[in-house]
């Protein structure tokens, strides 16, 4: 399908699908990594608790073990720092909750603190792009700890347990670097090649954006990976071929290129496998692009301070993340107080359910509400089925806890509701580890909390509008125009340096990815002023024309290569 077939419609409210929200997708190509990591991180500390008869402390060790869910899409050099910050953030949120719980037993205060923690964690995770799984894991741990009876003298020991398990989680997530240090970069490159192949097979507006985003993500992965190695240099060359596909005449004219698509898919399969990375013969622009990769890496390091300043700006006045954080604050508070009013003893599940609803726009929030409701209701049935087993002893309870921890991450990439079927019994098992409770009361409270959290979360989404989303589109339009103008100025020079062309083209490609993401996010909001959809599409078309021109000057469009390996 060519770009000319796109029509524009702007209803007052975005579509709220049902079947599409619940449809199962293909599992992620690395679904087993977070699933195995969380079990590996939880096994040792929890077996120690089982051996000493203190399985009642499992909530604190699981707080640290759940940090193993993060960072699996990042190269190991960056993953180590990211997971370390996740562990510190998890312990910090837990510390606030434990200290608060030890100082007051006022439910009104505890709910207010829970809502505030959820809002802060939502803002920080969205601004820092932490995830998946994002802020919900942090909120689950912090709010659950708020409603556990606590003494001030117990807090240091509980935090030490969480920190110790978090250190193990860090070792589990960073350890595979000793075996396959370029694994994350290879997977990112394979995804980019597959997306470029899909675009070559069926050129269109959406497939080109998806492929551009995948190539950009793979470039970022290579930049964050550390010093260049022969494998990483070859991955960079493969990305040049993916980029050449997106800027070629066939995609620009909407013509399918099945031969190129098959070649890219073959490279993707070899890149993802454990064997050698496929080697490609040099193209006219390959050496310059590879050499500039090192220069770009240097520039990337010098811009880290700018990235930190950008993070602070994204949390300041005018940020589109702030309305979503406000939704979280209001929705979580309403859900918590409503659950208390209806007789729920520990309303943290209502708070967590509301926090999970808030996504980047109304459409995605609606999808998550449906998914969370279905998953939680099925999850309490799964818990009811294993109650006779866990009552046989602590070992059975721990075994079920580890099983559901694995199942949650193994299933959640198919659809969020499917993962929630395992998350719900896992959370209930953590409650059971602290002391036996009547199953009927636990199940009834969870069903009530789920319905309250979803209903009031959606109410907060509707009440708190996010009109700043349209402003983000306008900012992204301006940034894309500036990047395109810079690239065209370089092109107009008498003898533009290949390194400058390469840097400008990548900057423009990143700006186009941000523009489409901003447009999609704003299109899913309700009560939004008319979006500049035609201007966005024209900016994307002009940007891709400029990218094609820079690719021609850089010499990326050479003869079709054959498949080899290094």
């Amino acid at each position: 399908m060519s770009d000319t077939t796109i029509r524009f419609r702007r209803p007052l409210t975005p579509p709220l699908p049902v079947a599409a929200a619940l449809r199962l997708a293909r599992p992620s190509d690395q679904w087993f990594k977070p699933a195995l990591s969380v079990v590996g991180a939880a096994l040792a500390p929890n077996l120690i608790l089982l051996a000493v008869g203190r399985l009642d402390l499992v909530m604190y060790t699981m707080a640290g073990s759940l940090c193993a869910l993060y960072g699996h899409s990042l190269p190991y050099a960056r993953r180590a720092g990211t997971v370390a910050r996740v562990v510190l953030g998890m312990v910090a949120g837990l510390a606030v909750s434990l200290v608060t719980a030890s100082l007051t037993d006022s439910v009104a205060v505890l709910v207010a603190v829970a809502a505030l923690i959820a809002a802060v964690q939502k803002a920080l995770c969205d601004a820092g792009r932490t995830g998946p799984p994002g802020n919900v894991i942090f909120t689950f741990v912090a709010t659950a700890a708020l409603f556990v009876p606590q003494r001030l003298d117990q807090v240091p020991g509980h935090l030490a347990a969480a920190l110790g398990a978090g250190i193990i989680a860090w070792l589990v997530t960073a350890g595979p670097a000793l075996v396959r240090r370029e694994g994350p970069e290879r997977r990112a490159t394979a995804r980019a090649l597959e997306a470029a192949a899909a675009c070559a097979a069926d050129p269109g507006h959406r497939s080109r954006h998806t492929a551009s985003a995948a190539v950009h993500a793979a470039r970022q992965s290579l930049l964050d990976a550390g010093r260049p190695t022969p494998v990483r240099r070859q991955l960079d060359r493969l990305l040049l071929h993916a980029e050449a596909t997106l800027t070629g005449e066939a995609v620009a004219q909407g013509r399918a290129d099945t031969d190129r698509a098959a070649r890219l898919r073959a490279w993707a399969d070899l890149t993802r496998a454990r064997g050698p990375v496929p080697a490609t013969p040099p193209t006219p622009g390959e050496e310059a692009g590879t050499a500039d990769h090192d220069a770009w890496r240097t520039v990337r390091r010098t811009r880290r301070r700018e990235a930190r300043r950008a993070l602070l700006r994204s949390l300041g006045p005018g940020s589109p993340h702030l309305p979503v954080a406000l939704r979280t604050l209001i929705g979580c508070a309403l859900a918590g107080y409503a659950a208390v009013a209806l007789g729920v003893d520990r309303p943290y599940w209502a708070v967590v359910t509301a926090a999970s609803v808030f996504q980047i726009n109304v459409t995605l929030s609606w999808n998550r509400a449906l998914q969370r409701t279905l998953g939680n209701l099925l999850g309490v049935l799964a818990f009811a089925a294993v109650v006779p087993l866990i009552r046989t002893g602590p070992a059975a309870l721990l075994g079920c806890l580890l099983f559901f921890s694995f199942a949650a991450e193994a299933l959640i990439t198919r659809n969020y509701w499917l993962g929630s079927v395992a998350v719900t019994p896992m959370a209930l098992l953590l409650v059971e580890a602290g002391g036996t409770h009547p199953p009927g009361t636990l199940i009834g409270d969870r069903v009530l909390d789920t319905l309250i959290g979803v209903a009031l979360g959606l109410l907060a989404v509707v009440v708190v509008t996010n009109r700043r989303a349209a402003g983000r589109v306008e900012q992204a339009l301006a940034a894309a125009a500036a990047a395109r103008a810079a690239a065209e100025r370089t092109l107009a020079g008498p003898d533009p340096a290949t390194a400058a062309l390469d840097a400008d083209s990548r900057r423009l490609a990143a700006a186009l990815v941000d523009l489409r993401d901003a447009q999609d996010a704003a299109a899913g909001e309700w009560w939004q002023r008319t979006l500049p959809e035609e201007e966005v599409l024209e900016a994307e078309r002009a940007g891709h024309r400029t990218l094609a021109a820079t690719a021609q000057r850089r010499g990326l469009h050479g003869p079709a290569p054959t498949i080899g390996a290094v």
Side-chain angles (χ1 to χ4, degrees):
M1 179 183 294
S2 67
D3 293 341
T4 59
T5 61
I6 295 177
R7 296 185 177 91
F8 302 108
R9 274 187 252 178
R10 180 62 192 160
L12 178 64
T13 59
L16 301 177
V18 175
L22 303 179
R23 187 177 299 124
L24 297 182
R26 292 179 57 187
S28 164
D29 60 353
Q30 57 176 12
W31 64 267
F32 56 91
K33 291 183 179 295
L36 292 175
S37 294
V38 70
V39 173
L43 193 60
N46 291 336
L47 285 177
I48 293 173
L49 293 181
L50 181 64
V52 300
R54 292 302 309 271
L55 205 59
D56 57 301
L57 301 178
V58 71
M59 185 181 74
Y60 308 110
T61 56
M62 283 301 295
S65 300
L66 289 172
C67 296
L69 298 175
Y70 292 83
H72 289 279
S73 62
L74 302 176
Y76 291 111
R78 186 180 172 193
R79 184 185 304 184
T82 297
V83 177
R85 289 190 291 272
V86 166
V87 171
L88 294 177
M90 183 72 77
V91 173
L94 183 62
V96 172
S97 296
L98 294 181
V99 171
T100 303
S102 66
L103 295 178
T104 181
D105 57 359
S106 169
V107 176
V109 173
L110 294 178
V111 169
V113 172
L116 183 60
I117 289 175
V120 170
Q121 290 171 335
K122 177 65 174 175
L124 290 175
C125 287
D126 285 356
R129 299 184 179 182
T130 302
N135 64 296
V136 177
I137 298 297
F138 294 97
T139 302
F140 165 65
V141 169
T143 54
L146 271 170
F147 295 94
V148 174
Q150 196 78 209
R151 296 195 316 268
L152 201 57
D153 62 296
Q154 295 176 315
V155 172
H158 294 165
L159 293 179
L163 182 59
I167 292 173
I168 295 175
W170 184 90
L171 293 173
V172 167
T173 54
L178 301 175
V179 180
R180 198 185 187 208
R181 61 178 176 175
E182 293 98 356
E185 304 94 275
R186 290 181 66 149
R187 287 190 296 273
T189 302
R191 294 188 201 105
L193 292 170
E194 288 171 342
C199 184
D202 184 16
H205 183 73
R206 179 57 61 180
S207 64
R208 184 167 61 183
H209 166 67
T210 301
S212 298
V215 171
H216 176 64
R219 290 264 182 222
Q220 295 298 97
S221 181
L222 284 175
L223 283 177
D224 294 332
R227 65 180 181 83
T229 64
V231 170
R232 287 171 185 152
R233 290 186 181 277
Q234 186 56 40
L235 294 175
D236 187 53
R237 296 184 183 106
L238 288 169
L239 289 178
L240 288 176
H241 287 287
E243 185 181 353
T245 299
L246 303 183
T247 56
E249 291 184 5
V251 170
Q253 297 173 3
R255 291 187 291 104
D257 188 343
T258 55
D259 291 340
R260 183 181 286 270
R263 185 165 54 250
L264 292 172
R265 290 193 184 98
W267 283 342
D269 292 339
L270 291 172
T271 301
R272 183 175 280 110
R274 288 191 166 273
V277 175
T280 59
T283 64
E286 177 183 297
E287 292 302 324
T290 304
D292 189 57
H293 181 66
D294 298 340
W296 194 35
R297 187 190 304 277
T298 302
V299 172
R300 182 70 175 176
R301 285 197 297 266
T302 63
R303 292 177 60 192
R304 285 178 180 172
R305 274 184 295 184
E306 296 180 10
R308 286 193 290 269
R309 287 196 292 267
L311 174 62
L312 294 176
R313 285 196 301 270
S314 67
L315 295 171
S319 169
H321 299 303
L322 295 185
V324 180
L326 182 60
R327 285 173 175 172
T328 305
L329 177 64
I330 294 174
C332 289
L334 290 175
Y337 289 126
V340 171
L342 292 175
V344 176
D345 184 34
R346 296 180 182 179
Y348 78 92
W349 194 250
V351 175
V352 174
T353 300
S356 70
V357 167
F358 303 112
Q359 302 300 303
I360 196 171
N361 57 36
V362 171
T363 301
L364 295 180
S365 297
W366 163 261
N367 291 349
R368 184 55 53 87
L370 290 179
Q371 295 159 355
R372 186 82 183 193
T373 302
L374 177 61
N376 285 5
L377 295 181
L378 294 177
V380 297
L381 297 179
F383 173 74
V386 300
V387 166
L389 177 60
I390 64 175
R391 293 293 166 84
T392 61
L397 190 152
L398 179 58
C400 290
L401 179 63
L402 295 177
F403 168 77
F404 283 117
S405 299
F406 176 88
E409 297 310 312
L411 298 174
I412 205 163
T413 60
R414 299 293 306 274
N415 194 299
Y416 185 84
W417 73 261
L418 196 58
S420 296
V421 175
V423 170
T424 302
M426 181 188 75
L428 289 169
L429 288 171
L430 289 175
V431 175
E432 276 290 284
T436 302
H437 300 78
T441 300
L442 283 178
I443 292 172
D445 285 350
R446 287 303 171 271
V447 171
L448 184 59
D449 282 346
T450 295
L451 298 178
I452 291 172
V454 166
L456 294 180
L458 286 176
L459 176 63
V461 169
V462 173
V463 171
V464 182
T465 59
N466 186 7
R467 297 201 169 197
R468 295 178 183 177
R472 183 187 168 202
V473 175
E474 294 167 357
Q475 294 170 1
L477 267 173
R484 182 167 63 88
E488 290 177 348
R489 282 195 300 270
T490 304
L491 277 172
D495 187 18
T498 304
L501 280 175
D502 199 45
D504 284 345
S505 65
R506 289 172 177 171
R507 192 177 300 113
L508 175 55
L512 292 176
V513 170
D514 289 342
L515 174 59
R516 175 45 50 185
D517 289 343
Q519 171 70 13
D520 288 346
E525 279 292 346
W526 85 293
W527 204 259
Q528 192 77 243
R529 65 178 184 266
T530 302
L531 297 175
E533 298 184 32
E534 294 186 16
E535 291 87 340
V536 168
L537 184 57
E538 181 53 38
E540 289 177 318
R541 288 172 172 166
H544 284 293
R545 286 195 298 268
T546 302
L547 285 176
T550 59
Q552 291 287 350
R553 292 291 291 270
R554 292 157 63 204
L556 294 187
H557 299 300
T562 57
I563 299 175
V566 295

